Amino acid sequence: MPRNNQFPQAGFTLIEVVAAILILGILAAVVVINSMDSRDTASRTAVLSKVRNHLRYARNRSMSSQEQWGINFHGSTYELERLPSGTGETLFFPGEEFENVQISPLSISTDVYFDEWGRPINSSGTSIPYSAADGEITINQTTGYIQ
């Protein structure tokens, strides 16, 4: 004898449940991938900002002391230096625990110093245009403005 259904059955079919779980899984994967990319971007931006601030510090030291100050890059680290180099003086940036500052994931190899006017020069004192980190850090050769 057939059942007399006065009330429709409530619930989802197996296909509907699997489809919903599949859609949620795809959305979760997209969110995780985007958050990883934004974290790497934020880390790179923070490191670039720190390098720019330290460049400004070296530039200001040069202009206020009438000596040549700069940054000596060693790939993924850098240090503050006063020319002529080799004085044996350990120099720290304000707020840093060590003289060698870590900048990974960046790698910069072009040293830069500043003359008493705040313009970028190389270690021999020759005025140079300066660009590092794939052009994300630039110093105007004429004014010394750091971007």
Side-chain angles (χ1 to χ4, degrees):
M1 171 173 171
R3 282 180 49 174
N4 185 4
N5 288 336
Q6 290 181 334
F7 300 106
Q9 289 185 345
F12 299 103
T13 66
L14 182 60
I15 293 174
E16 291 171 329
V17 171
V18 169
I21 291 173
L22 183 65
I23 290 170
L24 288 174
I26 291 170
L27 288 174
V30 168
V31 167
V32 167
I33 289 171
N34 285 339
S35 69
M36 286 181 182
D37 288 344
S38 64
R39 185 176 30 179
D40 292 342
T41 301
S43 174
R44 182 177 176 84
T45 301
V47 169
L48 285 168
S49 178
K50 184 178 196 175
V51 172
R52 283 188 198 101
N53 287 334
H54 284 162
L55 284 165
R56 289 180 184 112
Y57 177 78
R59 181 176 182 259
N60 289 339
R61 290 285 303 253
S62 294
M63 292 189 304
S64 65
S65 68
Q66 300 298 309
E67 296 177 312
Q68 296 173 343
W69 288 81
I71 295 183
N72 188 358
F73 289 98
H74 306 285
S76 63
T77 64
Y78 64 89
E79 61 193 11
L80 180 63
E81 189 172 87
R82 181 176 61 186
L83 290 179
S85 59
T87 60
E89 184 179 4
T90 302
L91 305 167
F92 290 84
F93 286 102
E96 296 293 334
E97 293 183 40
F98 305 103
E99 63 182 47
N100 287 330
V101 180
Q102 298 289 326
I103 58 171
S104 55
L106 289 181
S107 179
I108 301 174
S109 59
T110 308
D111 300 341
V112 64
Y113 301 91
F114 297 94
D115 64 12
E116 62 275 1
W117 297 98
R119 297 174 297 203
I121 58 174
N122 59 19
S123 59
S124 63
T126 306
S127 179
I128 59 167
Y130 187 81
S131 179
D134 298 327
E136 294 186 68
I137 297 175
T138 58
I139 305 173
N140 185 296
Q141 186 175 359
T142 307
T143 63
Y145 181 73
I146 299 167
Q147 296 176 323

